Amino acid sequence: MSTLIELKSVARHYTGSSGTVRAVDNVSLSFKEGDFSVLAGSSGSGKTTLLNLIGGIDRPDIGEVLISGISTQGKSESELADLRLNKIGFIFQSYNLLPVLTVYENVQFILQIRGIADRLHNELILPVLKRLGLIDLKERFPSQLSGGQQQRVAIARAIVLKPSIVLADEPTANLDSDTADSLLDLMQSLNHEDRVTFLFSSHDPEVIRRARTVIRLRDGKVIEIENR
Ligand SMILES: Nc1ncnc2c1ncn2[C@@H]1O[C@H](COP(=O)(O)OP(=O)(O)OP(=O)(O)O)[C@@H](O)[C@H]1O
Ligand SMILES: [Mg+2]
């Protein structure tokens, strides 16, 4: 299986009035096609900081992050944005949907940023909305959806361009346990049947139970990697 993302001795520090926080401390990891992995750890252990480094939203102070073999180091903001748009899908805890756009338009927005011709939009978007059970909701606005439905739109948006990997920061945090379960069923079946690669951050035991690789973090360090 090909390596999608590689971290080599990566560190990220924050310096504030109370001193320096080592949010990510000497982390080396790699992620490959087909993975279904979770970064697990208590609040403040560095999960979000690490996901942002992995996704090229942020760059390390020390070490190197390679996305499809391309280092994020020395890349301009627009080069990084291109790399992200082509390779990485993001799902955020708070969904980050645009409230003035419908379900369809929220997904379409990504295609517009990429400059994909309008005539191709339906054939890209409709199958994804069908796959995620959103087709009958496509004209609704986010405020007219449940939390679980909004999170499904966020997944649709993350996968519509068939990224190499989808990064999801605490995807179940705002959902009740039944909704979280069905969302995880969906992501597992996307992983099995559509070969979508996922990396989560979570402290939700159910997410951790279902992951095939559990990377445990404490104080910014990887303390254990469990492969199942
Ligand atoms: N922008 C920032 N400025 C200063 N310190 C930060 C910043 N972002 C994160 N930190 C610090 O870095 C450490 C790791 O934070 P991070 O948000 O990555 O943790 P987390 O595991 O995602 O936590 P949570 O489960 O609460 O989301 C924490 O000590 C946090 O206070
Ligand atoms: Mg976090």
Side-chain angles (χ1 to χ4, degrees), residues 194-221:
D194 306 58
R195 295 205 52 75
V196 181
T197 304
F198 283 95
L199 172 61
F200 306 103
S201 99
S202 190
H203 41 231
D204 178 348
E206 186 57 20
V207 177
I208 295 166
R209 191 183 70 73
R210 292 184 188 227
R212 277 199 306 278
T213 303
V214 182
I215 299 156
R216 289 188 199 279
L217 298 177
R218 187 188 294 153
D219 298 332
K221 294 188 183 67

Side-chain angles (χ1 to χ4, degrees), residues 26-37:
N26 193 25
V27 169
S28 297
L29 288 170
S30 70
F31 300 95
K32 55 186 194 320
E33 223 176 288
D35 280 357
F36 199 73
S37 307

